[in-house]
Amino acid sequence: MREYGLFIDGQEVPASHSMKSLNPYNGQPWAIVPDGTEEEVDHAVAAARRAFDTGPWGRMTAQQRGALMRSLADIIKRDAEELARIESTDNGKLYREMLGQWQYLPEYYYYYAGMADKLQGDTVPSDRPNFFIYTRREALGVVGAITPWNSPMLLLTFKLAPGLAAGCTFVVKPSEHTSVSTLEFAKRMTEAGFPDGVFNVVTGMGHVGAALVKHPGVDKIAFTGATETGKVIAAGAARNLTRVSLELGGKSPNIVFEDADLDVAANGVIAGIFGATGQTCMAGSRLLVQESVHDELLERIVGRTREIRLGDPMAAETEMGPVANQPQLDKVQEYLEVALKDGAKVACGGKLDPMLGGLFVQPTVLIDVTNDMRIAREEVFGPILSVIRFKDEADAVRIANDTRFGLAAAVWTQNVHRAHRVAHQLRAGTVWINAYRVVSYATPFGGYKESGIGRENGMDAIREYTETKSVYVELTGQPRDPFTLG
Ligand code: NDP
């Protein structure tokens, strides 16, 4: 059994309370991690505050920050396999998926390291001849990052890489279910040479996140998780007008037109909903299919779904692991019951896996779903696909946008005019054409509507971690009328 302390001010610190982290594949505890307190959050915020306000971090040049980020990227490359094994053990996702994520993470740090010394302000073409005006892009300050269990370090990196480039310091609260990779990562921050206090970790339950949100020493909360939690966080942060960026849930439509390549589309539908056992914010949980190809597409999807190999997330041949924890399994089962009661029918799956038991649920395709059913309106976060028919393009767009979410969508068609026309009408932060579940460090990611506030990744993300300051310089040295606006 591994045992960890908190990580505060560059050191592992013994915790006053602890909790066990379970391996969802076998249900066994495998690590003991701190269950932090408000007082421990206070210590961590004080360390991050000191590092930001008076520590060596604040005096570093952007080039020096960039160099540290490149060292960190090299260390992640070196340790990717070990860190991927840790995350797979903690959240039950396939080792090969977690390894792919860890091997990709260095790119985020290289990309934003390159941005650190290009964060420049403007000289403003002044309408006042006696003023020289310029702007500075300054680091926002102390960031409280609160992350979920599905992709702990990828989703933290979406926040940390631009935040470090800008010069912010961090206190991180990972999900209670998946604390270990963030605690391991903290040691690599020190090894890379980041000064004490730049990166702090307080693990624990939701109350640790709540303590961070209300803390007056925190300048911004960067959150990924459920929409309902995001609303609670936004309300809490409003008390101090703490900045927030929120990456929340989705009910993303995967729209297949009759002129699509149905083999390729079927493969994309499977990737969209059964990849990561459906536990991704961008899951393509609503399949909208044109009536004329409904049966043909369904046959392909059901055929492939029945072949999906469930099993040990560490094994190379496994395609789908367990759901990540018991509350998540309960939620999936409850939604299945609700869907059937509302009139949906099971085309395949629909039960716990009889061979594997535990937290394994069969990949499930539900047909005869209409967009007003709860299964089509609420995020399940599990391997359940709802199939909804549409008549024509206008009908597809209407159903796709008839949701309170707006994280992602996909369009499957071989007609280039239709592809772009529909993409432009979809109210979602990301639209894929003839693809699903692709992200890139260089491309903004975030949600419309109740899927979030702000953007992660790409050039847009750096704005979430900076404030713009305008500086007016008087050029004549002469006094002016003190009773008018300058
Ligand atoms: P939550 O949104 O509940 O949790 C995400 C993070 O927020 C966790 O670290 C959690 O701590 C913390 N948290 C919980 N309550 C508060 C609070 N009041 N103030 C501050 N922080 C808080 O997601 P869960 O992990 O519980 O998953 C539940 C559902 O969330 C899933 O079924 C899914 O629908 C959705 N989800 C969405 C994700 C996405 O990427 N959009 C990712 C993961 C989940 P703790 O772990 O202790 O609860």
Side-chain angles (χ1 to χ4, degrees):
M1 186 93 76
R2 290 163 179 251
E3 195 163 348
Y4 293 87
L6 301 158
F7 193 87
I8 298 177
D9 215 5
Q11 295 184 43
E12 196 168 336
V13 179
S16 53
H17 300 81
S18 61
M19 57 189 188
K20 286 182 179 149
S21 206
L22 305 182
N23 174 342
Y25 175 55
N26 58 22
Q28 296 303 309
W30 77 287
I32 296 174
V33 296
D35 182 10
T37 62
E38 255 187 64
E39 203 185 345
E40 286 159 341
V41 169
D42 260 350
H43 292 160
V45 173
R49 203 64 269 164
R50 273 194 308 277
F52 184 80
D53 291 336
T54 54
W57 177 245
R59 293 190 296 276
M60 277 187 186
T61 62
Q63 287 77 4
Q64 288 169 323
R65 289 200 304 274
L68 290 181
M69 291 174 71
R70 287 186 196 94
S71 303
L72 177 66
D74 293 339
I75 292 169
I76 296 172
K77 257 190 192 167
R78 183 194 71 195
D79 295 347
E81 289 179 14
E82 182 193 341
L83 294 163
R85 258 194 304 278
I86 286 172
E87 283 201 332
S88 183
T89 308
D90 232 2
N91 71 2
K93 277 170 79 169
L94 300 189
Y95 171 68
R96 70 172 189 271
E97 162 141 11
M98 300 329 286
L99 182 61
Q101 286 188 8
W102 277 100
Q103 287 171 334
Y104 192 50
L105 285 192
E107 303 303 330
Y108 287 82
Y109 294 96
Y110 291 136
Y111 175 77
Y112 285 104
M115 208 177 286
D117 60 2
K118 290 158 201 77
L119 258 184
Q120 43 196 39
D122 292 318
T123 53
V124 178
S126 175
D127 58 322
R128 292 154 201 279
N130 56 332
F131 276 96
F132 166 55
I133 307 172
Y134 63 93
T135 61
R136 283 166 52 81
R137 297 281 295 282
E138 296 184 351
L140 196 55
V142 174
V143 178
I146 303 175
T147 52
W149 41 261
N150 53 340
S151 294
M153 274 310 304
L154 178 74
L155 297 172
L156 176 57
T157 292
F158 283 12
K159 301 156 183 48
L160 184 63
L164 292 175
C168 293
T169 59
F170 279 76
V171 179
V172 185
K173 202 307 260 179
S175 163
E176 75 199 74
H177 301 290
T178 54
S179 303
V180 180
S181 59
T182 308
L183 291 165
E184 280 289 340
F185 182 85
K187 299 181 198 165
R188 274 81 177 171
M189 290 286 293
T190 302
E191 185 187 346
F194 284 89
D196 295 348
V198 171
F199 187 80
N200 307 275
V201 186
V202 184
T203 57
M205 314 280 279
H207 65 265
V208 175
L212 259 182
V213 169
K214 70 174 189 196
H215 202 294
V218 173
D219 298 296
K220 177 203 164 84
I221 293 289
F223 171 76
T224 299
T227 290
E228 296 318 314
T229 317
K231 288 180 185 177
V232 171
I233 286 176
R239 269 188 300 211
N240 296 330
L241 289 181
T242 304
R243 276 54 174 156
V244 287
S245 52
L246 306 171
E247 201 270 274
L248 309 176
K251 198 73 205 177
S252 299
N254 211 343
I255 309 168
V256 182
F257 286 97
E258 61 190 0
D259 56 13
D261 178 327
L262 294 187
D263 286 327
V264 180
N267 191 63
V269 171
I270 299 281
I273 188 64
F274 299 131
T277 318
Q279 301 171 123
T280 71
C281 49
M282 64 182 106
S285 49
R286 286 187 299 152
L287 167 61
L288 310 191
V289 54
Q290 195 153 14
E291 269 171 356
S292 49
V293 292
H294 174 275
D295 293 355
E296 238 183 301
L297 181 70
L298 196 69
E299 194 186 322
R300 286 167 166 84
I301 291 171
V302 168
R304 181 67 182 92
T305 302
R306 289 204 169 110
E307 289 169 0
I308 291 175
R309 290 187 298 269
L310 273 62
D312 182 353
M314 292 292 174
E317 67 279 6
T318 301
E319 293 179 322
M320 221 182 85
V323 297
N325 49 63
Q326 187 65 43
Q328 197 55 35
L329 183 75
D330 297 343
K331 189 175 167 193
V332 169
Q333 285 188 293
E334 191 190 323
Y335 271 108
L336 274 169
E337 280 167 29
V338 167
L340 299 187
K341 223 166 72 205
D342 286 351
K345 297 200 175 52
V346 174
C348 66
K351 295 194 171 64
L352 293 186
D353 188 82
M355 305 286 285
L356 294 160
L359 297 177
F360 280 91
V361 59
Q362 295 173 334
T364 299
V365 179
L366 296 177
I367 52 174
D368 294 346
V369 177
T370 54
N371 205 47
D372 55 352
M373 293 180 184
R374 268 184 72 197
I375 192 69
R377 305 205 76 78
E378 296 173 20
E379 185 178 48
V380 178
F381 227 66
I384 302 183
L385 178 68
S386 296
V387 184
I388 300 169
R389 299 163 187 255
F390 68 84
K391 288 191 191 62
D392 54 23
E393 195 176 301
D395 199 27
V397 170
R398 182 187 59 75
I399 298 171
N401 286 338
D402 177 15
T403 169
R404 67 190 175 107
F405 297 109
L407 192 62
V411 185
W412 299 85
T413 173
Q414 297 190 70
N415 177 333
V416 69
H417 311 292
R418 165 177 278 165
H420 291 284
R421 198 166 56 226
V422 173
H424 295 186
Q425 293 176 76
L426 293 171
R427 304 271 300 149
T430 295
V431 178
W432 296 285
I433 295 173
N434 295 328
Y436 207 92
R437 213 167 160 246
V438 185
V439 288
S440 148
Y441 57 81
T443 309
F445 181 74
Y448 283 36
K449 301 194 263 182
E450 292 190 26
S451 287
I453 295 177
R455 289 292 176 271
E456 302 195 299
N457 302 343
M459 310 254 289
D460 290 31
I462 203 94
R463 295 196 177 278
E464 307 281 347
Y465 296 91
T466 54
E467 294 272 24
T468 300
K469 177 180 284 173
S470 300
V471 182
Y472 287 72
V473 186
E474 214 283 331
L475 296 174
T476 65
Q478 297 304 310
R480 45 175 286 275
D481 177 0
F483 304 107
T484 60
L485 185 65

